[in-house]
Amino acid sequence: MGVKKRRFRGLVACLLGSMLGGAVLSSLHAEGVRAVAPPATYPATSWQGRNQAVMRIMRRLDSHVGLVSLHVGEVVQYGTLSLTLERCLQKPEGLPAQAAAQVKIEENQEAGSPTFEGWMFTNDPALGAYAGALYDVQVVSCDGDAVAPMVGPLPHPSVPSVATAGAPHVEADGEGKSSSPTAGQNVHQGDNGASGPVSLLPPTPAPAPQAGQGEGTQP
């Protein structure tokens, strides 16, 4: 009894699998191939301007760390430091996060460090960090309103064109036969209605009968 139940369950599973597989194949055949537009992204060289920058300042005497917000064109005093933000740029949405600030830093003391004026980058702080006698300064991010340069709206993605091709017809014996003629072949209808390839070569003449061979005589 258990063997019959297992066989019955296996038969039902096979029937369901064949029905579902046929439905999926029919759906795919009817749907065909559809092209999908790539996501719209800004070019890797795009920068968006902001009118503020957030700076991280560490005091070397006690390792105290503070965050200072700078506005473009304003001079901010932090201890003995004098900071002026000239520009702040960041990558637009969709690109790896990165910010760059052009600042001027002066340390107001007699034996202070030389004036720093240049760019600071978040992804490479060692390239443009300020390391003075009493303070270390790094850029954290850009903030505020958008200013020039402006990246503008995202470009509209274009859908690529995909050439469709008919699927070959599969006979019951498993051999695939294409519904369209192959290259170099012409399809014609014969006398019996069957179609087949037609050779483009000239017809081959029948061989001539050899000497001494003729039609047999009737007794």
Side-chain angles (χ1 to χ4, degrees):
M1 188 63 182
V3 176
K4 292 183 178 180
K5 286 185 178 180
R6 286 195 295 269
R7 290 180 178 176
F8 178 75
R9 291 176 181 175
L11 179 60
V12 172
C14 291
L15 291 176
L16 290 176
S18 60
M19 292 173 63
L20 292 176
V24 172
L25 291 177
S26 300
S27 176
L28 292 177
H29 181 72
E31 186 70 17
V33 179
R34 293 187 302 175
V36 179
T41 58
Y42 290 104
T45 57
S46 301
W47 290 93
Q48 173 61 60
R50 296 286 179 177
N51 64 348
Q52 296 182 27
V54 179
M55 312 298 293
R56 180 187 294 113
I57 303 177
M58 187 189 74
R59 189 165 52 204
R60 289 176 176 269
L61 296 178
D62 53 3
S63 299
H64 174 76
V65 177
L67 297 178
V68 178
S69 180
L70 304 180
H71 289 72
V72 174
E74 294 183 358
V75 180
V76 176
Q77 298 292 331
Y78 186 89
T80 59
L81 289 182
S82 177
L83 303 98
T84 304
L85 176 65
E86 299 179 3
R87 298 181 69 189
C88 193
L89 305 177
Q90 68 178 14
K91 290 294 185 179
E93 296 182 0
L95 297 178
Q98 183 180 357
Q102 186 179 11
V103 295
K104 179 180 180 180
I105 303 175
E106 295 178 304
E107 196 162 349
N108 304 320
Q109 61 178 359
E110 296 180 358
S113 301
T115 301
F116 174 88
E117 187 172 6
W119 286 92
M120 295 183 176
F121 301 89
T122 55
N123 63 339
D124 195 354
L127 183 61
Y130 173 80
L134 298 178
Y135 297 95
D136 288 343
V137 182
Q138 294 179 350
V139 59
V140 177
S141 63
C142 293
D143 200 358
D145 300 330
V147 295
M150 306 292 291
V151 294
L154 283 170
H156 184 70
S158 59
V159 180
S161 60
V162 177
T164 59
H169 178 66
V170 180
E171 300 291 346
D173 55 359
E175 296 180 357
K177 297 181 179 180
S178 176
S179 58
S180 59
T182 58
Q185 294 181 350
N186 294 329
V187 177
H188 78 290
Q189 298 290 337
D191 296 337
N192 56 355
S195 61
V198 176
S199 177
L200 300 179
L201 298 177
T204 304
Q210 297 180 2
Q213 296 182 356
E215 297 180 354
T217 57
Q218 299 290 335

